[in-house]
Amino acid sequence: MADDVKSLSAELARDPNSLVFLRLGELLRQKGQLDPAHRVALTGLERHPHLADAHDLYARILADKHDFERAFDEWDMALRIAPDHVGALKGLAFLYFKVGDVPQAVAHLEAAQRVNPDDPGITQALAMAHGGEDNAAAPPSGAPEPIASPEAAQPLADARVFAGLEGAEEGLLLLDPAGQVLGGALKDPGGKDVTAAVAAYLAGVSQEAARTAKLLGLGAWTGVAAEGQLGHVHLTPPTGAALLLVVRERAVPMGRLAIIAQRAAVAARRWLEAQR
């Protein structure tokens, strides 16, 4: 495999515009050499910005690096260029499955299966998705692999709950079941701070959501998303004793909002565990 890397690297050096960067980047990714793979993919993407396969490769590497938001954007771009791109459909299915949006994951997998009905990985992933909520914690095998879990990320160096995340403190709100603010801040469209008011309104929501899901036989609830005229919101319980609210403007797709919420939930969970 090392000889393959050398051979492909030499070929790319002779012709920087060659599409061989796709094979080289994927080979480096499979070897776990994510930084070199990232450089190869990004350089290739700069030379071929309208190539769906280039966006797909870059998304795979970003996902391996736990940058799920940007991976979502790259797979979304690949589909804009090539609506039937199987790799992008499987990649987005992986991300939707990871945040618990099984219907969207199934929809993308079914679209991929229509394009490539003989792919056993897609068939297996669909079987897992249709298996119900018990399988929702594990990504479908039809998704790009290997992709590490965000739980493996290093602990936050900053004391703030959401340090380093997109939007940082603003647009993210973490509270306990009683409505006490644990981190984050919210403002209305006019810039007025509404953190305390929203927290008070959401007090007890996680328990109500859990009870409703139980009464309906849906199992444990993993999140609720809603669209508004001026923006979108996503609610999720990072632990059984906390509630996380993420707010973004309408320009942010609901799928990406779910990824942002998932990353924020991981940060919140680590922070809460550190407070024990």
Side-chain angles (χ1 to χ4, degrees):
M1 188 175 287
D3 290 339
D4 291 338
V5 170
K6 291 181 180 178
S7 175
L8 292 172
S9 297
E11 185 176 343
L12 186 60
R14 287 193 297 270
D15 181 7
N17 289 315
S18 171
L19 296 183
V20 74
F21 81 91
L22 294 170
R23 283 189 289 153
L24 176 59
E26 178 62 16
L27 185 58
L28 290 168
R29 185 187 79 84
Q30 292 176 2
K31 287 169 60 67
Q33 298 180 14
L34 298 183
D35 288 339
H38 186 277
R39 289 193 293 271
V40 169
L42 187 57
T43 300
L45 190 58
E46 289 172 350
R47 293 180 179 275
H48 305 277
H50 303 298
L51 183 64
D53 284 346
H55 289 278
D56 178 41
L57 170 63
Y58 192 37
R60 287 170 173 267
I61 296 166
L62 289 171
D64 281 0
K65 291 168 74 71
H66 310 152
D67 194 344
F68 299 114
E69 294 171 43
R70 291 174 64 195
F72 182 96
D73 289 343
E74 291 300 322
W75 273 318
D76 182 64
M77 180 58 69
L79 285 185
R80 291 174 187 271
I81 297 170
D84 291 334
H85 194 284
V86 173
L89 288 167
K90 290 164 65 175
L92 288 175
F94 169 85
L95 294 181
Y96 279 120
F97 203 99
K98 200 167 185 62
V99 299
D101 193 340
V102 177
Q104 279 289 346
V106 168
H108 283 75
L109 287 170
E110 288 177 341
Q113 190 175 56
R114 286 193 293 271
V115 179
N116 189 2
D118 297 325
D119 187 329
I122 297 175
T123 301
Q124 183 180 355
L126 276 170
M128 180 182 294
H130 286 306
E133 195 172 33
D134 290 342
N135 294 316
S141 59
E145 293 292 347
I147 296 179
S149 166
E151 301 291 349
Q154 295 299 313
L156 292 176
D158 195 298
R160 293 179 302 153
V161 179
F162 304 115
L165 297 181
E166 178 184 331
E169 298 291 289
E170 197 167 316
L172 297 167
L173 181 63
L174 180 67
L175 59 147
D176 67 13
Q180 177 183 353
V181 177
L182 302 175
L186 297 174
K187 293 182 180 179
D188 66 14
K192 178 183 177 182
D193 189 289
V194 293
T195 303
V198 172
Y201 182 81
L202 291 176
V205 166
S206 59
Q207 292 93 331
E208 289 299 323
R211 280 195 289 268
T212 301
K214 183 177 181 180
L215 286 172
L216 293 173
L218 301 177
W221 79 290
T222 59
V224 177
E227 297 184 6
Q229 293 183 343
L230 299 179
H232 303 316
V233 298
H234 192 287
L235 280 168
T236 189
T239 70
L243 184 67
L244 172 68
L245 175 68
V246 182
V247 181
R248 289 293 185 271
E249 60 185 13
R250 283 187 62 86
V252 177
M254 291 298 290
R256 184 177 182 189
L257 180 62
I259 302 302
I260 294 172
Q262 190 261 354
R263 291 187 67 196
V266 171
R269 187 159 53 248
R270 289 203 301 265
W271 184 83
L272 288 166
E273 290 173 351
Q275 308 310 304
R276 294 175 182 173

